[in-house]
Amino acid sequence: MAGPGTKRSRSDDHAWLITGPLFLFAVVCSTITSLVARPPFGDWLLGGLLLVAMVAAGLPVLNFTVRRQSVGVTLTEIPLVLAFYLIRPLTVVVIYTLAAVVTHLWHRMDTTKLWFNVARAAAGSSLAVLILQAFPPMEGIGPRIWLTLLVAAIVVNVVSISSVAAVYTLLQGWQTGRDAFRKSPSLFLAPGINVVAGLIILILITATWWSLLLLAALTTALTLVYRAYAQFFRQHRTLSDMYELSRAISASGQDGTLADALLVRVRALMQAEYATLWLPAQGRHPEVLLTSRIADSGLLDVAPTSPALRERARREGRAVILTRGSVPDPMLRDDLSDLRVKDVIAVPLRSGQAVVGTLEVANRLGASNSFVRTDVPLLETVAAHVAVALENSRLVDRLRHDATHDALTKLPNRRRVTASVAEAVKIAAPGEVVALLLFDVDRLRQVNETLGHAAGDKVLVEVAERLRVCAPSSALVGRAGGDEFLVTLRLESAEAALELAGRLREQIRDVMVFDALTLDVDTAVGVAVHPEHGSDAVALLQRVDLAATAAKSVPGSVQLYSPALESRSLRRLGLAGDLRRALDDGELEVYFQPKVTLRDRCLVGVECLARWEHPAHGAVAPDDFVAVAEHTGQLGRLTEFVLRESLRRSRDWSHGEQPLAVSVNLAARTLTDQHFPTLVRELLDEYGVAPQRLTLEITESGVLDGTERPIPTLRRLRDLGVRLSVDDFGTGNSSLAQLRRLPVNEVKVDRSFVQGMATDPGDLAIVNAVVTLSQQFGLAVVAEGVESELTLELLQDIGCEIGQGFLFSRPLPYERLETWFGAQADPEAIPAGELPRLRVVP
C-alpha cells in the first residue's frame, strides 16, 4: 500500500527543478525593478489592507457548472488590479507572495506544492511590475490605464499557466503539459472577468471612497445568492447521482459487475480520489478488497488506507471520519499520514444487525477541499443501498451454487461436471487427454436397508471427502447422483487415467468407522477419455457409464471403455428404423447458429443444423444419424428435409427486407447425385428464395477427395447462383492452391485452429495464412468456434470478416433464434438495404 504514495512523493520532488528557477527569475525581475522604479517600496498601510483582501479573495473557491463541467474560480485578480494601480511595484510583489503563502498554508498543501505555488506567484507578480515600468506613469483612470492593468494581470496568469504546464511535462510527460496549454484559453475567462470587476471597483473608489459601502452591499448580496445556488445545485446533483447509483447497482447485480459500477460512481459522487469496498471472509466467500482510483480504468486489489481504519469502523459499527476538523486516534492519524491520505470516511455495511464490511472514500479532490461531517449521512445512505445489493448478489450466487452442487456432499453435481467436461474438450492440448472417471459405490443399498439412510449418507460424505483430498489439485470431483461420483482432469494418456483410478479406489477402500460400526466400502470404476472415446461431454458421460456398469460385473474392478461395450453397429441398426419413422413423423428439428461479421457484429446469416431427440436414446449425435442415413438410403430424404425447413424459415424471416441467408451442410455422397441440383432449383422456386441467399457447405474431405466426381455437381450448383463453402478447412491434407480449381465462394476455418489461436502460435499462424491466401483468391472466410473475446480480437487483427461460435450464440430453434435476435438487435431503425446490427453479442 505504500507503493503508490512513495512513487508520487519521489515524482513531486522533481518539481524543485521548476520551483528553483522561478524563485531565481523573481529575484532577477525584482532587482531590475528596484533599479528602475523610484521608489520601489512604499504605501505599506494600503498594502496591508490589500494583503488582507488578497487572502480573503484567495481562500474560498467558487464552483460553477457550465455545460455539465465544474469550474473552480477564485477572486485573487480583483485586489491584484487595485494593487498594481495604488501601491509601489515591489510592495505588490511582497503582498502577492505573502498572500500565496497564507492561502496555501491554510489549504494545508505539502511542502513541495506550497513552495512551487509561492514561487510562481512571486515570478508572475515580479515580471508584471517590471513590464509596468515600461509603460508611461499611470495617471487618471482612462482606457489606456485599463489596457495597462489588463496586460499586467495577463502576464501573471501566463507565468502561472506556463509554470504549471512545465511541472506537468516534467512529472507526467509532454502530452499532459500540451493538454494544459490547450486548455489555457478557457482558463483566461475567469481571470478576465475578475480584471474587469477590479477595474470597475478601481473606477468607483477613484471617484469616491464612499463607493466601498455600495460594493460591500453588492458583495454581501452576491455571496448570499451564490450560497443559495451552490446549495440548490449540490442537492440536485446529489439526488441525480443517487438515482444513477441506484440504477447502476440494480443493473450490475445481475451481471456480476457490482463492485466496478459501485465504486466508480461512489468515487464520483463523493468527489474522492479513492473509493474502497471491503468484505471480510465469510463462509465460502473469500475476503474482498477492491479500490477504484481516479487515475485507473480498472479496480485495484489494495487500499490507500490502513486496515486499522476499516477494522475500527467494523468493530464499532459506526462511521469513522478523518478530516481537518476531526481529532481521531493519534496512531490512526500517523498511519494515514504515512500513507499520504489527507482525509477519509469509512462507514459500515450492515446486513440486519451484523456488519459485513465497510465502504470508504479517501482524499477529496482539490488541494483546498476536504470531507466534512455532512458528507457522512450521504455515504451512509449509499452504504445502505450497497448492503442490500450485496445481499441480493450473494443470494443469487448462493442459488447458482446450489443449482450446480450436491446438497449432501457439497460437490459439483452432474450438470456442473458435464459443463466442465464440455469446456475441457473444446481446447485440444497436444499430448494430453481429458479423462473421466466414474466411481460407483458398491452395496450402498444394503447399507441403507440395514443401517438406515443416515448411515448411507455418511458413507457418501466420506467417499466424497476422500476423493476430494486424494484427487490431484487439477481434478474436478463431483457427484453424478445416487451412489456415483465423477472425477475429470487432463492426463498424459488413457493408461495414466487407469493408474489414477486404481490409486483413488484404494484410498476409498480404507476402513470407514461410524460410531461403533466399521464398514468396508468398495467401488467399481469406469474410465473414458477424450478424444479416443468421445468428442463431447454427453458421449463421454454415456460411455463412462457403460464402463462403470461393466466394472460392476467384476466387483472392485477398473474398466476402460471400449467399443465392445456398446455395439455401435447394433445401435445404428436399431436407429435405422427409428430414423425413418422420425422423418415420417417430423420428429427431427433444424437448429440455427448465427453467422456474424466480426468488425461491426452484423447478422449475415445462419448455419442450419439437424437435431434428433430420440425417445429412448436421448439426443442422437448428428454424426450417428447421418451415418445411419447414408447406409440405409435415407440421406436424400434427410437432406431434403433440412433444405425445406431452412428455405421456409429463410422466407418467413421478418426482420429484414430480404430472406435470411442460410447455410446447409451436405454429405460427400450428395455431390454424386445428378438430380440434386434440380431439387435445389425446385425448392428455391417453391419458397421464393433468391439462390444467393443459400450456401451449401461441403467438408474439405468431401470436396477435395482427389477425384473429379464432385466438380460437375458443384458447377451446376454454382450456375444456379447458389453459394458454395468448404467446411472444416485445415483438417485434411489439401491446400488452398487446390481450391482454385473448384467453384467455391467461401472457406470455413476449422474450430480446432480457431480455438487454439489464443494459446498456440502455430494455430494462429495457420489461421492467418488461410485468411490471407483465401482473400487473395477472392474467397470469403468464416471462422468457426469463436468462443472468447480474445479470439475475436485476434481474428479482427488478421482481417477475418465473419465468424460463428458460442461467443455469439449456440445453435437455436427458430423461435429462440427470433427471440435472441430481438434481444440483441439495435432498437434504432435499420436503414433500407443494410444488415441488421447487433447491440452486444453475449
Side-chain angles (χ1 to χ4, degrees):
M1 290 184 291
T6 305
K7 181 177 180 181
R8 183 170 65 247
S9 176
R10 186 169 59 251
S11 299
D12 288 350
D13 290 341
H14 289 78
W16 286 101
L17 297 176
I18 305 297
T19 303
L22 285 175
F23 272 123
L24 181 61
F25 181 76
V27 171
V28 171
C29 291
S30 298
T31 302
I32 297 175
T33 301
S34 66
L35 297 175
V36 175
R38 288 291 182 268
F41 294 99
D43 306 317
W44 291 107
L45 179 60
L46 184 56
L49 295 176
L50 289 173
L51 172 61
V52 174
M54 287 181 183
V55 172
L59 288 179
V61 178
L62 309 181
N63 292 295
F64 298 93
T65 299
V66 181
R67 294 182 180 180
R68 306 193 72 175
Q69 297 293 326
S70 181
V71 179
V73 177
T74 61
L75 306 177
T76 311
E77 289 82 5
I78 295 177
L80 181 61
V81 169
L82 300 178
F84 282 144
Y85 185 84
L86 296 174
I87 61 178
R88 303 306 302 170
L90 291 188
T91 305
V92 175
V93 176
V94 171
I95 65 171
Y96 190 67
T97 303
L98 287 175
V101 173
V102 173
T103 54
H104 291 104
L105 283 175
W106 176 268
H107 291 152
R108 297 190 179 183
M109 288 188 175
D110 58 58
T111 304
T112 303
K113 290 183 179 180
L114 169 66
W115 287 114
F116 168 74
N117 285 289
V118 171
R120 69 189 179 103
S125 58
S126 60
L127 178 61
V129 297
L130 177 60
I131 292 176
L132 284 177
Q133 304 310 308
F135 287 89
M138 288 186 285
E139 297 178 357
I141 194 63
R144 183 180 65 81
I145 303 302
W146 302 350
L147 180 61
T148 301
L149 296 176
L150 178 62
V151 169
I154 289 176
V155 167
V156 174
N157 280 279
V158 167
V159 172
S160 178
I161 293 173
S162 299
S163 58
V164 170
V167 168
Y168 282 160
T169 302
L170 177 66
L171 301 184
Q172 302 180 24
W174 64 272
Q175 290 183 337
T176 307
R178 183 184 61 183
D179 291 341
F181 272 117
R182 285 181 176 178
K183 296 177 182 177
S184 58
S186 61
L187 298 178
F188 281 109
L189 177 61
I193 295 174
N194 288 340
V195 170
V196 172
L199 291 174
I200 293 174
I201 294 173
L202 182 61
I203 292 172
L204 292 175
I205 64 176
T206 302
T208 173
W209 286 93
W210 289 103
S211 60
L212 290 175
L213 298 177
L214 297 177
L215 291 174
L218 179 61
T219 301
T220 302
L222 291 177
T223 300
L224 295 175
V225 170
Y226 172 77
R227 285 183 176 178
Y229 158 80
Q231 182 179 7
F232 170 78
F233 180 77
R234 185 165 53 252
Q235 292 174 348
H236 178 272
R237 186 186 64 186
T238 300
L239 289 175
S240 177
D241 289 346
M242 283 295 297
Y243 174 71
E244 293 297 330
L245 178 64
S246 299
R247 289 186 58 189
I249 290 176
S250 300
S252 61
Q254 301 174 4
D255 56 17
T257 60
L258 175 62
D260 198 3
L262 162 71
L263 294 176
V264 171
R265 284 172 171 79
V266 169
R267 179 174 50 75
L269 174 65
M270 302 301 296
Q271 298 181 1
E273 182 182 1
Y274 297 93
T276 300
L277 174 68
W278 176 58
L279 303 173
Q282 181 181 9
R284 65 181 183 83
H285 298 287
E287 181 185 24
V288 174
L289 180 63
L290 295 172
T291 297
S292 173
R293 185 170 63 182
I294 193 171
D296 297 303
S297 56
L299 297 182
L300 308 176
D301 58 358
V302 296
T305 55
S306 168
L309 178 74
R310 296 185 289 277
E311 287 291 352
R312 177 173 174 179
R314 178 191 180 192
R315 182 179 64 256
E316 297 179 359
R318 61 181 180 85
V320 176
I321 179 171
L322 171 64
T323 63
R324 290 174 179 168
S326 63
V327 185
D329 184 341
M331 184 177 298
L332 184 60
R333 164 76 74 178
D334 293 340
D335 288 344
L336 295 178
S337 177
D338 294 339
L339 295 170
R340 310 278 302 205
V341 175
K342 66 173 185 176
D343 52 358
V344 63
I345 302 176
V347 297
L349 297 175
R350 297 182 181 277
S351 175
Q353 297 298 320
V355 176
V356 297
T358 61
L359 179 66
E360 64 186 64
V361 289
N363 287 0
R364 168 152 277 182
L365 298 178
S368 60
N369 295 330
S370 179
F371 292 120
V372 295
R373 292 202 168 271
T374 54
D375 292 320
V376 175
L378 176 60
L379 190 59
E380 288 178 333
T381 303
V382 173
H385 286 281
V386 173
V388 173
L390 285 172
E391 283 298 300
N392 292 338
S393 177
R394 286 190 169 182
L395 175 60
V396 171
D397 181 61
R398 185 161 58 250
L399 292 174
R400 288 174 178 167
H401 179 273
D402 292 344
T404 57
H405 287 74
D406 174 54
L408 176 63
T409 62
K410 310 305 180 184
L411 292 177
N413 58 19
R414 190 179 187 90
R415 177 189 298 178
R416 175 69 181 88
V417 175
T418 302
S420 178
V421 174
E423 290 294 327
V425 300
K426 290 177 185 177
I427 303 175
E432 290 185 344
V433 299
V434 178
L436 194 58
L437 285 58
L438 179 60
F439 293 81
D440 193 309
V441 180
D442 288 339
R443 299 187 300 277
L444 183 64
R445 180 177 179 181
Q446 287 85 340
V447 173
N448 288 331
E449 292 175 349
T450 305
L451 303 177
H453 287 278
D457 289 345
K458 289 182 179 180
V459 171
L460 292 174
V461 171
E462 181 65 21
V463 171
E465 182 62 24
R466 292 186 181 185
L467 280 175
R468 184 190 292 115
V469 172
C470 300
S473 58
S474 59
L476 176 66
V477 180
R479 184 185 179 194
D483 56 359
E484 296 179 341
F485 294 88
L486 285 165
V487 177
T488 180
L489 74 166
R490 290 186 180 275
L491 291 171
E492 297 80 7
S493 62
E495 291 72 19
L498 286 171
E499 182 182 350
L500 174 63
R503 291 202 309 269
L504 293 177
R505 174 179 165 270
E506 291 300 321
Q507 294 291 336
I508 295 174
R509 288 186 64 190
D510 282 351
V511 174
M512 297 183 185
V513 178
F514 300 105
D515 298 329
L517 190 63
T518 300
L519 297 180
D520 184 10
V521 178
D522 204 351
T523 57
V525 189
V527 179
V529 298
H530 165 81
E532 182 179 348
H533 300 147
S535 59
D536 55 43
V538 174
L540 285 172
L541 286 168
Q542 178 187 1
R543 286 155 191 172
V544 79
D545 273 330
L546 289 173
T549 301
K552 284 184 177 181
S553 60
V554 182
S557 69
V558 177
Q559 176 68 55
L560 180 68
Y561 170 82
S562 69
L565 300 176
E566 178 189 16
S567 177
R568 193 177 185 89
S569 60
L570 289 177
R571 184 171 183 271
R572 285 186 172 179
L573 183 61
L575 288 176
D578 295 338
L579 178 60
R580 183 177 292 107
R581 178 184 53 78
L583 288 169
D584 291 339
D585 298 341
E587 293 180 1
L588 269 69
E589 293 183 83
V590 174
Y591 279 44
F592 304 85
Q593 185 171 30
K595 297 165 68 175
V596 176
T597 57
L598 301 181
R599 185 64 57 183
D600 53 4
R601 300 191 178 192
C602 292
L603 178 66
V604 295
V606 293
E607 182 178 3
C608 307
L609 304 166
R611 294 291 184 265
W612 182 19
E613 187 73 17
H614 193 281
H617 300 295
V620 182
D623 290 344
D624 286 343
F625 65 77
V626 169
V628 169
E630 287 189 53
H631 288 94
T632 58
Q634 300 181 76
L635 182 61
R637 290 189 63 195
L638 177 62
T639 304
E640 181 178 352
F641 164 75
V642 177
L643 274 173
R644 283 186 176 277
E645 186 68 9
S646 304
L647 293 175
R648 182 172 73 87
R649 295 304 189 182
S650 174
R651 178 197 62 188
D652 296 342
W653 184 252
S654 60
H655 299 280
E657 297 183 353
Q658 54 187 348
L660 177 66
V662 294
S663 300
V664 177
N665 293 289
L666 297 182
R669 183 172 296 184
T670 304
L671 298 179
T672 62
D673 184 359
Q674 298 179 358
H675 303 290
F676 180 71
T678 304
L679 173 65
V680 173
R681 185 189 63 218
E682 292 173 352
L683 292 177
L684 289 171
D685 294 339
E686 178 180 347
Y687 291 99
V689 176
Q692 63 269 21
R693 308 303 293 175
L694 173 63
T695 300
L696 299 177
E697 298 183 5
I698 310 97
T699 60
E700 179 186 3
S701 58
V703 72
L704 297 170
D705 60 354
T707 69
E708 299 294 322
R709 290 179 300 175
I711 294 181
T713 303
L714 291 175
R715 288 175 177 168
R716 291 178 60 191
L717 291 170
R718 179 199 59 187
D719 294 338
L720 289 177
V722 173
R723 289 173 52 82
L724 300 174
S725 174
V726 178
D727 197 11
D728 298 336
F729 188 83
T731 57
N733 298 321
S734 58
S735 66
L736 281 168
Q738 295 176 271
L739 294 179
R740 300 179 62 184
R741 63 184 180 87
L742 297 176
V744 297
N745 309 91
E746 183 181 273
V747 172
K748 298 189 74 173
V749 186
D750 186 69
R751 68 180 68 248
S752 61
F753 299 112
V754 175
Q755 292 173 347
M757 289 174 62
T759 56
D760 189 343
D763 287 345
L764 178 60
I766 290 173
V767 176
N768 190 14
V770 172
V771 171
T772 303
L773 293 177
S774 297
Q775 291 175 344
Q776 291 178 355
F777 292 158
L779 302 176
V781 182
V782 178
E784 295 184 292
V786 182
E787 297 177 359
S788 69
E789 290 289 347
L790 178 56
T791 301
L792 176 63
E793 294 176 2
L794 292 173
L795 289 170
Q796 289 176 337
D797 291 341
I798 65 179
C800 185
E801 298 178 353
I802 302 174
Q804 67 182 89
F806 290 173
L807 176 64
F808 308 118
S809 173
R810 297 175 179 272
L812 303 170
Y814 182 76
E815 293 74 14
R816 289 184 61 192
L817 174 71
E818 289 193 313
T819 303
W820 171 86
F821 181 81
Q824 306 300 326
D826 196 322
E828 299 179 358
I830 302 171
E834 289 192 9
L835 295 170
R837 175 168 297 179
L838 306 181
R839 182 189 300 114
V840 172
V841 182

